[in-house]
Amino acid sequence: MEKPPPEKSGSFSGHNVESHPPESHAEGELEDRENAKESSSISDSALPQVSQDIDRFLSYLALHEDKSNPPEVPDSVDVFCKLVEAMIGNYDSGDSSARFGRVPEDDTAFVESVGRISKLMNALRGFPVQSPAGAMYGRSGSVLQRAMSFLEDELRTLLEDSRSQISDSKSLKTKHPSFNSKEDHDRCPLPESESTGDDEYPAYPPDVVASMKKVAMAMISAGYETECCQVFSILRRNAFKEAVNKLGFDSISIDDVQKMHWETLEGEIATWIKVVKHCSHILFPGERRFAESVFEDYPAIFSSQFSNLARAAVIHFLNFAEAVAMTKRSAEKLFKFLDMYESLRDLVPTISSPTSDDNGHELKSETMTAGSRLGEAAVSIFCDLENSIKSDVSKTPVPSGAVHPLTRYTMNYLKYACEYKDTLEEVFQQHKKIERTDEAGSDVDERSSQNNAQPPVKQTPFSTQLIAVMDLLDSNLDTKSKLYKDMSLRNIFLMNNGRYILQKIKGSSEIHEVMGDTWCRRRSSDLRQYHKNYQRETWSKVLQCLRDEGLQVNGKVNKPVLKERFKTFNTLFDEIHKTQSTWVVSDEQLQSELRVSISAVMIPAYRSFLARFSQYLDSGRQTEKYVKYQPDDIETSIDELFDGNPTSMTRKRT
Amino acid sequence: MPSTENQGSSSPFMSFGRSILSIRREQVHSMEANHDPNTQESEIELFLQLISKRFHDLSVVSADELLSLAWMRKLLDAFICCHEEFRVILLNNKVQVCKPPLERLVAEFFDRCLKALDICNATRDGIEKIRQWEKQLEIVLSAMDSRQRTMGEGQFRRARKALMDLAIAMLDEKETGSIFSHRNRSFGRHQSSKDQRHHLPGHSRSLSWSVSRSWSAAKQLQSIANNLVPPRGNDISATNGLAVPVFAMSYVLMFVLWALVAAIPCQDRGLQIHCSVPRHFSWGAPFILLQERIMEESKKRERRNSSGLLKEINQMERCASHMTDLVDSIHFPLTDELKTEAGQQVQEVTLLCEALKNGLDPLERQVREVFRKIMNGRTEGLEFLGSVNKPE
């Protein structure tokens, strides 16, 4: 596991002013920097030389295999230990300008020295305790422990300090310059730019991340991996939990979820969805990036750090999802369930990667299981629509032949559901195991391919279910239409409902796609048939009155018959007007189609009847008595049909 | 549908003999009751024998084995196995299950299942806590690696630091999971944790995710145990004996969760639950024995304040305290005696860490499986309870 820190062949990289052009430093900063250098003067003065000595000693030790024969230990080893202790002391002095993270060069020097101490300790291991080498082993071990303990605290401080910055973006701006080392003005032009913290979660400035990375590397290569990972994981976990709690997420027990009213639960679900989405988009990618940059050279550590964090968080999201999926199923829950399903589905790629460890794979499969539980619930809720249609068996017809509430409910539900069409397809694929294609599915298939010259609509489990629902609605409406004794009204009812269904389907490209053009054409022709039936039922009798046949006997118009004809016509027409103006056709186009088609038949027939036969009535009283309507009156009256208006024509005509 | 003649059979005033007769008649008349009463009886008998056998095996283990990780896994395994058999019994007797009084008893069982799920989740968190503690022991091990022939002061200091963090973490847990649950402790707790942080800046406590602050394992257990009483004679006869396996399974459920809470850290643990003991059933004996043994364990002095009765937690406490004593008493140069002792301690910790590493993950998976089984069983059961009551 031990990996040496990056070394520049023993050179003191502190002098290597990496990629920071000197002109970028303001004067004040340069001054500060000089001070900082002064305070770490020990390292500046003696460290490079002593480090070289240590490296030489290390190469000597590497060849010295006989542990029973301890070598001489040069003085530089003790000096070196003292130097490192002095560096720690300097960091710990309480002088804030000397803190870790202020002067990256010094930090690098320190971290490299710690690496050297660790190597020294390992190389001195095993010599007799009483020998100088053995004593130096103990000494270097103590120094190393002190350094590690210091670095552990530093890591904690780095992780914690920056965390408190997130909660207060104001202080991030003002505190930023003093918090970071001086060079960072060019590296990190942040303070001004409005970063909401969201885009850069977790909001550690790059130099802080760089410091963490240094610490992590030093600790891991000295064999303090567990300490390093523990600090990192506990603090990140807590920070993550805080971030999630801030969004309103709180654990609710499964027991409580079952007891909740739907309205309350709906609110909790909304919060949950918000939180899970935020995690997928911001928090998890952020944590992944962050862990990756801190543990850049240790992919195994990075990946276990991330998957542990993800796991700690996600299992609690899943608990809630499972609790919700367990609640009593009901139609109104479908859409929220699907929303939750989608959130989990989108969460999966953000918590797993091909390089995930077992932990990661397990989490992924747990997430998918929870998702599929929701999917399963959604499927069962959607399929339950069949039952609610079947169980709608009211024996009272809707007055005026209007659109039945069941039609409205079903179609609106379907329309809304089809906004989730792709997701529904997905969950149906997973859960609706072809059971339907055995029965209904296959013959639906046949039907659509029979009547269809075009390629048949592709049958999926969901579309099959949707078609089944539509068929069921049709047959239910057919039964309901039989509740109307009046054949004309029965046809109006069928027309109204059929029209409503067709309009809804045409209005939703998703349902339209599933049902297909053929289906729509068939429905349109059904509607035309209802229309024809209605015409025949209502108007053929009226037209009978306006026939020529039977009026003329031996070329002469039989007046009593004519009078009777007019009387019957008037009565019939009045009757129809009275009844059918209370009927409802709410679809304007359908209403006008009906009126136009009635007028187109009635007006010319009446007009010509009048033109040919009114002359046989005595003008004056008789005409007034029998010719109650002028053709224009007929037209006006027809235009009053299907208005759902119970008022009589007299009032309207005035 | 079977005849409805005996809908009043749940009435407690129904005479014993008559209800048996009428049930039999009903069975004969019922077209769906193709389940032969004789098979039914032997099915019940086999199920009760299974419970008896599995829990007997669990109850006769040595003191060392009781409440160990391996034992916990056997316990959960026994649960899963019994639950599966029980599920089959319900499926085989759908018709009966959907009628009172069995319908009510089964519905109550499913209610208990629901409450059990929360305990499973809380336990899962507890396992994670143990895992965190194990990490501290790992540090002790890397500090005092037995392969190193020489141990210096630095290593001992490293070990001491890890032991201190472990002690604090375990202390923390004792406060949240105290067996002597006392409410309104938040005040005292806040103070003490602040103090700890003050004295020991090295420690960072990990926040608990799982359950809301007010959640209590003890209360949850009690709500499972509430009204869990052996079925009355007329209920037994009215259900053709099926009331007994339903009670037995409910009892197994309650017992297993109780043992889980006893062993694993969770919020507000408590073992004092009020529940009638199935003394009058032959399968009840191992439970009585187990309950006694576990209660006894919890009363032992060194365990009374423990955050979990899991054997390995006990070992952890013991190891940690020995190790701390050792580390505190050390003077350099080390005497051979101390070296040997340290070596032994390290050996012990090594074994413990191995046991934890190998045992915790499978245990957690098993808790998960228990969760699944309970949930699926409930969903399945409610489905057929619901489908019968639904008008077609």
Side-chain angles (χ1 to χ4, degrees), chain B residues 271-286:
Chain B
L271 300 186
Q272 296 295 346
I273 54 165
H274 306 286
C275 173
S276 54
V277 181
R279 287 187 198 287
H280 307 298
F281 296 97
S282 58
W283 52 267

mmCIF file with all atom_site columns, all heavy atoms in Angstrom, chain B residues 271-286:
data_model
loop_
_atom_site.group_PDB
_atom_site.id
_atom_site.type_symbol
_atom_site.label_atom_id
_atom_site.label_alt_id
_atom_site.label_comp_id
_atom_site.label_asym_id
_atom_site.label_entity_id
_atom_site.label_seq_id
_atom_site.pdbx_PDB_ins_code
_atom_site.Cartn_x
_atom_site.Cartn_y
_atom_site.Cartn_z
_atom_site.occupancy
_atom_site.B_iso_or_equiv
_atom_site.pdbx_formal_charge
_atom_site.auth_seq_id
_atom_site.auth_comp_id
_atom_site.auth_asym_id
_atom_site.auth_atom_id
_atom_site.pdbx_PDB_model_num
ATOM 1   N N   . LEU B 1 271 ? -34.633 -3.707  26.350 1.00 0.00 ? 271 LEU B N   1
ATOM 2   C CA  . LEU B 1 271 ? -34.987 -5.122  26.251 1.00 0.00 ? 271 LEU B CA  1
ATOM 3   C C   . LEU B 1 271 ? -36.199 -5.468  27.088 1.00 0.00 ? 271 LEU B C   1
ATOM 4   O O   . LEU B 1 271 ? -36.737 -6.562  27.006 1.00 0.00 ? 271 LEU B O   1
ATOM 5   C CB  . LEU B 1 271 ? -33.796 -5.981  26.709 1.00 0.00 ? 271 LEU B CB  1
ATOM 6   C CG  . LEU B 1 271 ? -32.532 -5.770  25.884 1.00 0.00 ? 271 LEU B CG  1
ATOM 7   C CD1 . LEU B 1 271 ? -31.473 -6.765  26.305 1.00 0.00 ? 271 LEU B CD1 1
ATOM 8   C CD2 . LEU B 1 271 ? -32.835 -5.914  24.402 1.00 0.00 ? 271 LEU B CD2 1
ATOM 9   N N   . GLN B 1 272 ? -36.610 -4.507  27.912 1.00 0.00 ? 272 GLN B N   1
ATOM 10  C CA  . GLN B 1 272 ? -37.734 -4.799  28.792 1.00 0.00 ? 272 GLN B CA  1
ATOM 11  C C   . GLN B 1 272 ? -39.035 -4.601  28.043 1.00 0.00 ? 272 GLN B C   1
ATOM 12  O O   . GLN B 1 272 ? -39.632 -3.547  28.100 1.00 0.00 ? 272 GLN B O   1
ATOM 13  C CB  . GLN B 1 272 ? -37.700 -3.874  30.002 1.00 0.00 ? 272 GLN B CB  1
ATOM 14  C CG  . GLN B 1 272 ? -36.491 -4.064  30.895 1.00 0.00 ? 272 GLN B CG  1
ATOM 15  C CD  . GLN B 1 272 ? -36.455 -5.425  31.567 1.00 0.00 ? 272 GLN B CD  1
ATOM 16  O OE1 . GLN B 1 272 ? -37.457 -6.130  31.574 1.00 0.00 ? 272 GLN B OE1 1
ATOM 17  N NE2 . GLN B 1 272 ? -35.313 -5.794  32.112 1.00 0.00 ? 272 GLN B NE2 1
ATOM 18  N N   . ILE B 1 273 ? -39.433 -5.601  27.311 1.00 0.00 ? 273 ILE B N   1
ATOM 19  C CA  . ILE B 1 273 ? -40.727 -5.447  26.663 1.00 0.00 ? 273 ILE B CA  1
ATOM 20  C C   . ILE B 1 273 ? -41.712 -6.399  27.302 1.00 0.00 ? 273 ILE B C   1
ATOM 21  O O   . ILE B 1 273 ? -41.347 -7.449  27.817 1.00 0.00 ? 273 ILE B O   1
ATOM 22  C CB  . ILE B 1 273 ? -40.667 -5.680  25.145 1.00 0.00 ? 273 ILE B CB  1
ATOM 23  C CG1 . ILE B 1 273 ? -40.039 -7.022  24.839 1.00 0.00 ? 273 ILE B CG1 1
ATOM 24  C CG2 . ILE B 1 273 ? -39.924 -4.568  24.459 1.00 0.00 ? 273 ILE B CG2 1
ATOM 25  C CD1 . ILE B 1 273 ? -40.283 -7.455  23.442 1.00 0.00 ? 273 ILE B CD1 1
ATOM 26  N N   . HIS B 1 274 ? -42.936 -5.964  27.266 1.00 0.00 ? 274 HIS B N   1
ATOM 27  C CA  . HIS B 1 274 ? -43.966 -6.758  27.904 1.00 0.00 ? 274 HIS B CA  1
ATOM 28  C C   . HIS B 1 274 ? -44.653 -7.607  26.861 1.00 0.00 ? 274 HIS B C   1
ATOM 29  O O   . HIS B 1 274 ? -45.213 -7.089  25.915 1.00 0.00 ? 274 HIS B O   1
ATOM 30  C CB  . HIS B 1 274 ? -44.967 -5.842  28.597 1.00 0.00 ? 274 HIS B CB  1
ATOM 31  C CG  . HIS B 1 274 ? -44.280 -4.911  29.540 1.00 0.00 ? 274 HIS B CG  1
ATOM 32  N ND1 . HIS B 1 274 ? -43.782 -5.330  30.743 1.00 0.00 ? 274 HIS B ND1 1
ATOM 33  C CD2 . HIS B 1 274 ? -43.957 -3.606  29.418 1.00 0.00 ? 274 HIS B CD2 1
ATOM 34  C CE1 . HIS B 1 274 ? -43.209 -4.301  31.342 1.00 0.00 ? 274 HIS B CE1 1
ATOM 35  N NE2 . HIS B 1 274 ? -43.291 -3.244  30.554 1.00 0.00 ? 274 HIS B NE2 1
ATOM 36  N N   . CYS B 1 275 ? -44.538 -8.871  27.072 1.00 0.00 ? 275 CYS B N   1
ATOM 37  C CA  . CYS B 1 275 ? -45.111 -9.761  26.089 1.00 0.00 ? 275 CYS B CA  1
ATOM 38  C C   . CYS B 1 275 ? -45.360 -11.105 26.740 1.00 0.00 ? 275 CYS B C   1
ATOM 39  O O   . CYS B 1 275 ? -44.570 -11.567 27.560 1.00 0.00 ? 275 CYS B O   1
ATOM 40  C CB  . CYS B 1 275 ? -44.118 -9.934  24.937 1.00 0.00 ? 275 CYS B CB  1
ATOM 41  S SG  . CYS B 1 275 ? -44.657 -11.156 23.776 1.00 0.00 ? 275 CYS B SG  1
ATOM 42  N N   . SER B 1 276 ? -46.470 -11.686 26.376 1.00 0.00 ? 276 SER B N   1
ATOM 43  C CA  . SER B 1 276 ? -46.750 -12.983 26.990 1.00 0.00 ? 276 SER B CA  1
ATOM 44  C C   . SER B 1 276 ? -45.871 -14.047 26.352 1.00 0.00 ? 276 SER B C   1
ATOM 45  O O   . SER B 1 276 ? -45.616 -14.038 25.153 1.00 0.00 ? 276 SER B O   1
ATOM 46  C CB  . SER B 1 276 ? -48.217 -13.331 26.807 1.00 0.00 ? 276 SER B CB  1
ATOM 47  O OG  . SER B 1 276 ? -48.538 -13.264 25.453 1.00 0.00 ? 276 SER B OG  1
ATOM 48  N N   . VAL B 1 277 ? -45.400 -14.924 27.184 1.00 0.00 ? 277 VAL B N   1
ATOM 49  C CA  . VAL B 1 277 ? -44.485 -15.965 26.735 1.00 0.00 ? 277 VAL B CA  1
ATOM 50  C C   . VAL B 1 277 ? -45.299 -17.200 26.365 1.00 0.00 ? 277 VAL B C   1
ATOM 51  O O   . VAL B 1 277 ? -46.252 -17.547 27.058 1.00 0.00 ? 277 VAL B O   1
ATOM 52  C CB  . VAL B 1 277 ? -43.505 -16.298 27.875 1.00 0.00 ? 277 VAL B CB  1
ATOM 53  C CG1 . VAL B 1 277 ? -42.530 -17.358 27.449 1.00 0.00 ? 277 VAL B CG1 1
ATOM 54  C CG2 . VAL B 1 277 ? -42.781 -15.034 28.321 1.00 0.00 ? 277 VAL B CG2 1
ATOM 55  N N   . PRO B 1 278 ? -44.985 -17.816 25.247 1.00 0.00 ? 278 PRO B N   1
ATOM 56  C CA  . PRO B 1 278 ? -45.793 -18.950 24.797 1.00 0.00 ? 278 PRO B CA  1
ATOM 57  C C   . PRO B 1 278 ? -45.505 -20.219 25.602 1.00 0.00 ? 278 PRO B C   1
ATOM 58  O O   . PRO B 1 278 ? -45.023 -21.204 25.062 1.00 0.00 ? 278 PRO B O   1
ATOM 59  C CB  . PRO B 1 278 ? -45.386 -19.106 23.337 1.00 0.00 ? 278 PRO B CB  1
ATOM 60  C CG  . PRO B 1 278 ? -44.001 -18.547 23.256 1.00 0.00 ? 278 PRO B CG  1
ATOM 61  C CD  . PRO B 1 278 ? -43.904 -17.499 24.297 1.00 0.00 ? 278 PRO B CD  1
ATOM 62  N N   . ARG B 1 279 ? -45.810 -20.159 26.864 1.00 0.00 ? 279 ARG B N   1
ATOM 63  C CA  . ARG B 1 279 ? -45.484 -21.301 27.729 1.00 0.00 ? 279 ARG B CA  1
ATOM 64  C C   . ARG B 1 279 ? -46.275 -22.556 27.381 1.00 0.00 ? 279 ARG B C   1
ATOM 65  O O   . ARG B 1 279 ? -45.810 -23.660 27.564 1.00 0.00 ? 279 ARG B O   1
ATOM 66  C CB  . ARG B 1 279 ? -45.779 -20.951 29.183 1.00 0.00 ? 279 ARG B CB  1
ATOM 67  C CG  . ARG B 1 279 ? -44.783 -19.988 29.753 1.00 0.00 ? 279 ARG B CG  1
ATOM 68  C CD  . ARG B 1 279 ? -44.987 -19.793 31.243 1.00 0.00 ? 279 ARG B CD  1
ATOM 69  N NE  . ARG B 1 279 ? -44.318 -18.566 31.669 1.00 0.00 ? 279 ARG B NE  1
ATOM 70  C CZ  . ARG B 1 279 ? -43.006 -18.428 31.782 1.00 0.00 ? 279 ARG B CZ  1
ATOM 71  N NH1 . ARG B 1 279 ? -42.221 -19.445 31.538 1.00 0.00 ? 279 ARG B NH1 1
ATOM 72  N NH2 . ARG B 1 279 ? -42.465 -17.293 32.143 1.00 0.00 ? 279 ARG B NH2 1
ATOM 73  N N   . HIS B 1 280 ? -47.487 -22.330 26.915 1.00 0.00 ? 280 HIS B N   1
ATOM 74  C CA  . HIS B 1 280 ? -48.361 -23.493 26.751 1.00 0.00 ? 280 HIS B CA  1
ATOM 75  C C   . HIS B 1 280 ? -48.145 -24.226 25.442 1.00 0.00 ? 280 HIS B C   1
ATOM 76  O O   . HIS B 1 280 ? -48.807 -25.196 25.153 1.00 0.00 ? 280 HIS B O   1
ATOM 77  C CB  . HIS B 1 280 ? -49.817 -23.059 26.867 1.00 0.00 ? 280 HIS B CB  1
ATOM 78  C CG  . HIS B 1 280 ? -50.051 -22.299 28.130 1.00 0.00 ? 280 HIS B CG  1
ATOM 79  N ND1 . HIS B 1 280 ? -49.866 -22.875 29.360 1.00 0.00 ? 280 HIS B ND1 1
ATOM 80  C CD2 . HIS B 1 280 ? -50.400 -21.011 28.351 1.00 0.00 ? 280 HIS B CD2 1
ATOM 81  C CE1 . HIS B 1 280 ? -50.112 -21.978 30.292 1.00 0.00 ? 280 HIS B CE1 1
ATOM 82  N NE2 . HIS B 1 280 ? -50.439 -20.831 29.710 1.00 0.00 ? 280 HIS B NE2 1
ATOM 83  N N   . PHE B 1 281 ? -47.236 -23.711 24.648 1.00 0.00 ? 281 PHE B N   1
ATOM 84  C CA  . PHE B 1 281 ? -46.978 -24.396 23.381 1.00 0.00 ? 281 PHE B CA  1
ATOM 85  C C   . PHE B 1 281 ? -45.643 -25.130 23.453 1.00 0.00 ? 281 PHE B C   1
ATOM 86  O O   . PHE B 1 281 ? -44.690 -24.623 24.049 1.00 0.00 ? 281 PHE B O   1
ATOM 87  C CB  . PHE B 1 281 ? -46.929 -23.385 22.240 1.00 0.00 ? 281 PHE B CB  1
ATOM 88  C CG  . PHE B 1 281 ? -48.230 -22.679 22.015 1.00 0.00 ? 281 PHE B CG  1
ATOM 89  C CD1 . PHE B 1 281 ? -48.467 -21.425 22.561 1.00 0.00 ? 281 PHE B CD1 1
ATOM 90  C CD2 . PHE B 1 281 ? -49.231 -23.278 21.261 1.00 0.00 ? 281 PHE B CD2 1
ATOM 91  C CE1 . PHE B 1 281 ? -49.666 -20.779 22.349 1.00 0.00 ? 281 PHE B CE1 1
ATOM 92  C CE2 . PHE B 1 281 ? -50.434 -22.632 21.052 1.00 0.00 ? 281 PHE B CE2 1
ATOM 93  C CZ  . PHE B 1 281 ? -50.663 -21.381 21.596 1.00 0.00 ? 281 PHE B CZ  1
ATOM 94  N N   . SER B 1 282 ? -45.631 -26.259 22.845 1.00 0.00 ? 282 SER B N   1
ATOM 95  C CA  . SER B 1 282 ? -44.408 -27.048 22.927 1.00 0.00 ? 282 SER B CA  1
ATOM 96  C C   . SER B 1 282 ? -43.259 -26.339 22.218 1.00 0.00 ? 282 SER B C   1
ATOM 97  O O   . SER B 1 282 ? -42.112 -26.428 22.621 1.00 0.00 ? 282 SER B O   1
ATOM 98  C CB  . SER B 1 282 ? -44.632 -28.413 22.289 1.00 0.00 ? 282 SER B CB  1
ATOM 99  O OG  . SER B 1 282 ? -45.024 -28.243 20.951 1.00 0.00 ? 282 SER B OG  1
ATOM 100 N N   . TRP B 1 283 ? -43.606 -25.595 21.176 1.00 0.00 ? 283 TRP B N   1
ATOM 101 C CA  . TRP B 1 283 ? -42.530 -24.900 20.457 1.00 0.00 ? 283 TRP B CA  1
ATOM 102 C C   . TRP B 1 283 ? -42.027 -23.687 21.232 1.00 0.00 ? 283 TRP B C   1
ATOM 103 O O   . TRP B 1 283 ? -41.038 -23.057 20.849 1.00 0.00 ? 283 TRP B O   1
ATOM 104 C CB  . TRP B 1 283 ? -42.991 -24.468 19.062 1.00 0.00 ? 283 TRP B CB  1
ATOM 105 C CG  . TRP B 1 283 ? -44.281 -23.697 19.057 1.00 0.00 ? 283 TRP B CG  1
ATOM 106 C CD1 . TRP B 1 283 ? -45.528 -24.195 18.896 1.00 0.00 ? 283 TRP B CD1 1
ATOM 107 C CD2 . TRP B 1 283 ? -44.430 -22.285 19.255 1.00 0.00 ? 283 TRP B CD2 1
ATOM 108 N NE1 . TRP B 1 283 ? -46.459 -23.191 18.972 1.00 0.00 ? 283 TRP B NE1 1
ATOM 109 C CE2 . TRP B 1 283 ? -45.806 -22.008 19.192 1.00 0.00 ? 283 TRP B CE2 1
ATOM 110 C CE3 . TRP B 1 283 ? -43.539 -21.224 19.468 1.00 0.00 ? 283 TRP B CE3 1
ATOM 111 C CZ2 . TRP B 1 283 ? -46.329 -20.721 19.346 1.00 0.00 ? 283 TRP B CZ2 1
ATOM 112 C CZ3 . TRP B 1 283 ? -44.049 -19.943 19.619 1.00 0.00 ? 283 TRP B CZ3 1
ATOM 113 C CH2 . TRP B 1 283 ? -45.429 -19.698 19.563 1.00 0.00 ? 283 TRP B CH2 1
ATOM 114 N N   . GLY B 1 284 ? -42.685 -23.335 22.316 1.00 0.00 ? 284 GLY B N   1
ATOM 115 C CA  . GLY B 1 284 ? -42.310 -22.129 23.052 1.00 0.00 ? 284 GLY B CA  1
ATOM 116 C C   . GLY B 1 284 ? -41.075 -22.293 23.920 1.00 0.00 ? 284 GLY B C   1
ATOM 117 O O   . GLY B 1 284 ? -40.410 -21.314 24.262 1.00 0.00 ? 284 GLY B O   1
ATOM 118 N N   . ALA B 1 285 ? -40.761 -23.556 24.249 1.00 0.00 ? 285 ALA B N   1
ATOM 119 C CA  . ALA B 1 285 ? -39.677 -23.786 25.212 1.00 0.00 ? 285 ALA B CA  1
ATOM 120 C C   . ALA B 1 285 ? -38.348 -23.118 24.843 1.00 0.00 ? 285 ALA B C   1
ATOM 121 O O   . ALA B 1 285 ? -37.760 -22.417 25.674 1.00 0.00 ? 285 ALA B O   1
ATOM 122 C CB  . ALA B 1 285 ? -39.489 -25.288 25.401 1.00 0.00 ? 285 ALA B CB  1
ATOM 123 N N   . PRO B 1 286 ? -37.846 -23.301 23.619 1.00 0.00 ? 286 PRO B N   1
ATOM 124 C CA  . PRO B 1 286 ? -36.547 -22.687 23.322 1.00 0.00 ? 286 PRO B CA  1
ATOM 125 C C   . PRO B 1 286 ? -36.560 -21.167 23.469 1.00 0.00 ? 286 PRO B C   1
ATOM 126 O O   . PRO B 1 286 ? -35.541 -20.568 23.832 1.00 0.00 ? 286 PRO B O   1
ATOM 127 C CB  . PRO B 1 286 ? -36.272 -23.086 21.868 1.00 0.00 ? 286 PRO B CB  1
ATOM 128 C CG  . PRO B 1 286 ? -37.509 -23.669 21.337 1.00 0.00 ? 286 PRO B CG  1
ATOM 129 C CD  . PRO B 1 286 ? -38.315 -24.135 22.497 1.00 0.00 ? 286 PRO B CD  1
#
